[in-house]
Amino acid sequence: MKIVKIDWLRHSGHPVYSVDISRDGRRVATASQDGIRLWKMSAVRTAKAFTQGVLLATLSDHEGGVNCVRWSPLRDGPLASAGDDHTVMLWYFEEDGNSSNFGSSEENIECWRSKLTLRGHTKDVVHIEWSPNGALIASSSIDNTIKIWTSHGGLEHT
C-alpha cells in the first residue's frame, strides 16, 4: 500500500474534519469549518492527482462549520451533512440546476441543493450515519443526544 498526501484536497487552510467517498465511486465529499466540497474521484486516481484536482461544487448552506459528511447508501441518493449550526442537511444533485454558488467566488461544475434540514439538536451535531437501506439517519451531538431521523425528515427516536 502506498500512502501519499494530495495537496489540493483541502479547504483554504482549514482542517478537514470528515471525508466520504460516494457509493458509485465518482465523488469525494470533504467537510471543514468553511463548508463542504465535492471533488471528482477520478482526479484522485490519476497521475495528476498530486498536482491538481477537480472541485465539482462548494456547498455552504450551513451557518457554521461542517463536522461530518456521509453519502446515502442508495444509488443517486443524497449527501448528508452535520454542522455546528445544530442541523443535519440533506443535499440532492440537480441535473439541470443553476451551478452558481451565491456569495462565493468559486464556480460550481455540479449543482447540489440542500432540500431538507433536520432540526432538533440544541448544540453542534458532530456525527451522522445512514442505515444500510438508506431509510434512516442517526445523528449525534454535543448536547448528549442521539436522534434517529427518517430520510424524509421525520424524527423517529431521541
Side-chain angles (χ1 to χ4, degrees), residues 30-89:
T30 56
S32 185
Q33 192 63 35
D34 63 350
I36 301 163
R37 293 190 180 187
L38 303 180
W39 307 88
K40 188 173 183 178
M41 185 64 180
S42 62
V44 176
R45 295 181 180 147
T46 67
K48 291 183 179 181
F50 306 106
T51 59
Q52 67 186 48
V54 178
L55 179 63
L56 298 173
T58 300
L59 313 178
S60 55
D61 285 3
H62 278 283
E63 296 177 9
V66 180
N67 300 310
C68 188
V69 286
R70 291 291 178 263
W71 293 100
S72 167
L74 303 177
R75 181 173 171 79
D76 299 324
L79 173 71
S81 60
D84 289 347
D85 58 0
H86 314 170
T87 68
V88 173
M89 291 185 177

Side-chain angles (χ1 to χ4, degrees), residues 2-157:
K2 184 176 182 180
I3 298 173
V4 295
K5 179 181 177 190
I6 302 173
D7 289 330
W8 53 263
L9 196 62
R10 64 179 186 273
H11 282 254
S12 304
H14 297 286
V16 173
Y17 299 145
S18 179
V19 61
D20 199 30
I21 299 171
S22 64
R23 300 305 172 248
D24 62 10
R26 293 181 6 219
R27 297 176 184 92
V28 176
T30 56
S32 185
Q33 192 63 35
D34 63 350
I36 301 163
R37 293 190 180 187
L38 303 180
W39 307 88
K40 188 173 183 178
M41 185 64 180
S42 62
V44 176
R45 295 181 180 147
T46 67
K48 291 183 179 181
F50 306 106
T51 59
Q52 67 186 48
V54 178
L55 179 63
L56 298 173
T58 300
L59 313 178
S60 55
D61 285 3
H62 278 283
E63 296 177 9
V66 180
N67 300 310
C68 188
V69 286
R70 291 291 178 263
W71 293 100
S72 167
L74 303 177
R75 181 173 171 79
D76 299 324
L79 173 71
S81 60
D84 289 347
D85 58 0
H86 314 170
T87 68
V88 173
M89 291 185 177
L90 300 184
W91 303 83
Y92 292 84
F93 176 70
E94 292 185 353
E95 190 74 41
D96 298 321
N98 181 347
S99 63
S100 65
N101 189 13
F102 183 75
S104 174
S105 61
E106 295 173 332
E107 182 67 29
N108 286 337
I109 295 172
E110 293 185 345
C111 180
W112 289 80
R113 297 272 186 252
S114 171
K115 293 190 176 179
L116 189 59
T117 301
L118 310 177
R119 300 179 193 281
H121 287 289
T122 59
K123 293 188 178 177
D124 302 3
V125 183
V126 293
H127 194 77
I128 46 178
E129 284 294 335
W130 288 91
S131 64
N133 66 1
L136 300 172
I137 305 164
S139 60
S140 63
S141 169
I142 61 172
D143 65 8
N144 294 320
T145 64
I146 295 172
K147 296 187 182 293
I148 308 295
W149 311 85
T150 68
S151 60
H152 302 292
L155 181 61
E156 287 286 306
H157 301 285

